[in-house]
Amino acid sequence: MHPSPVDSPPAPPDPRPAARSAGILALCSALLLGLVAVRWQPLVDLDRSVSGTTHRWAVAEPGLTRTARILTDWVWDPLTMRVLCGVVAVVLVWRYAARWTAVWLVLTVALAAALQQGLKAAVGRARPVWPDPVDSAHYAAFPSGHAMTATVVLGLLLWLLHRRGATPAVWRTAVAVAAVSLVGVGLTRVWLGVHWPTDVLGGWLLGAFVVAAAVWAHRLRRP
């Protein structure tokens, strides 16, 4: 008799791709941060050109502007994203007993918020100023807190959903909702004239870096 073959257990996920992604995103974020900090003139001119055009559109289209304010203040607001994160953390503990992952999720979002505020204070970039503003915002401009928070929260939730083995239909829906949200939050911040385009780009890059670094750390601890 020949012994029946026994399948070997699947290999744990390799953390190195996440580490490489984090390194690349960190370099891109640092490059953009440096250009913004030294006020590189071609970047400043591009920001002013794009922002000036979108502000004229926002003034001319009050209906779209009201919709943008609702979306940015309620749907994609950083507080809304953090509440969503908290709800998912509760579900992880209550339904899956995944206490460490819940703590990891909440801690990552909290550290991202601290990084965002620290960079705002360090760079001290002024927000756009208009004679006929359609909205207002506080604190410094770079990076966009809305864009960065949405990227971190939605990126982490997508990774958790994929890790839990979501069905193809659920996965495609989640990716579509996340993509629309990330693009939408960036467009609304520029449309409302409270951020320069590179503030939004910086928020996306830094948020993606945080997600990649957090995934790398999670795989090191929980392969």
Side-chain angles (χ1 to χ4, degrees), residues 160-212:
L160 287 173
L161 193 63
H162 179 71
R163 187 170 181 264
R164 290 281 169 185
T167 64
V170 170
W171 174 248
R172 285 193 296 267
T173 302
V175 170
V177 170
V180 169
S181 296
L182 291 178
V183 173
V185 72
L187 291 178
T188 55
R189 300 310 282 167
V190 177
W191 179 274
L192 293 171
V194 294
H195 273 296
W196 305 106
T198 47
D199 298 335
V200 172
L201 178 59
W204 284 335
L205 285 174
L206 286 162
F209 158 70
V210 170
V211 172

Side-chain angles (χ1 to χ4, degrees), residues 128-165:
V129 177
W130 310 106
D132 49 353
V134 297
D135 201 359
S136 62
H138 306 291
Y139 308 112
F142 186 90
S144 165
H146 281 68
M148 184 172 175
T149 304
T151 303
V152 171
V153 172
L154 296 177
L156 293 175
L157 296 187
L158 278 179
W159 182 74
L160 287 173
L161 193 63
H162 179 71
R163 187 170 181 264
R164 290 281 169 185

Side-chain angles (χ1 to χ4, degrees), residues 62-77:
L64 284 177
T65 300
R66 282 193 296 271
T67 301
R69 291 190 66 176
I70 292 171
L71 290 171
T72 197
D73 289 343
W74 295 98
V75 180
W76 298 319
D77 184 74

Side-chain angles (χ1 to χ4, degrees), residues 60-97:
E61 298 288 347
L64 284 177
T65 300
R66 282 193 296 271
T67 301
R69 291 190 66 176
I70 292 171
L71 290 171
T72 197
D73 289 343
W74 295 98
V75 180
W76 298 319
D77 184 74
L79 179 59
T80 303
M81 293 290 109
R82 290 166 188 150
V83 169
L84 175 62
C85 166
V87 170
V88 172
V90 170
V91 171
L92 285 170
V93 173
W94 175 67
R95 184 169 181 179
Y96 299 104

Side-chain angles (χ1 to χ4, degrees), residues 35 39-49 125 196:
L35 294 176
R39 295 176 174 83
W40 190 51
Q41 197 59 44
L43 197 67
V44 172
D45 292 341
L46 178 63
D47 272 338
R48 288 175 176 170
S49 175
R125 190 185 201 188
W196 305 106

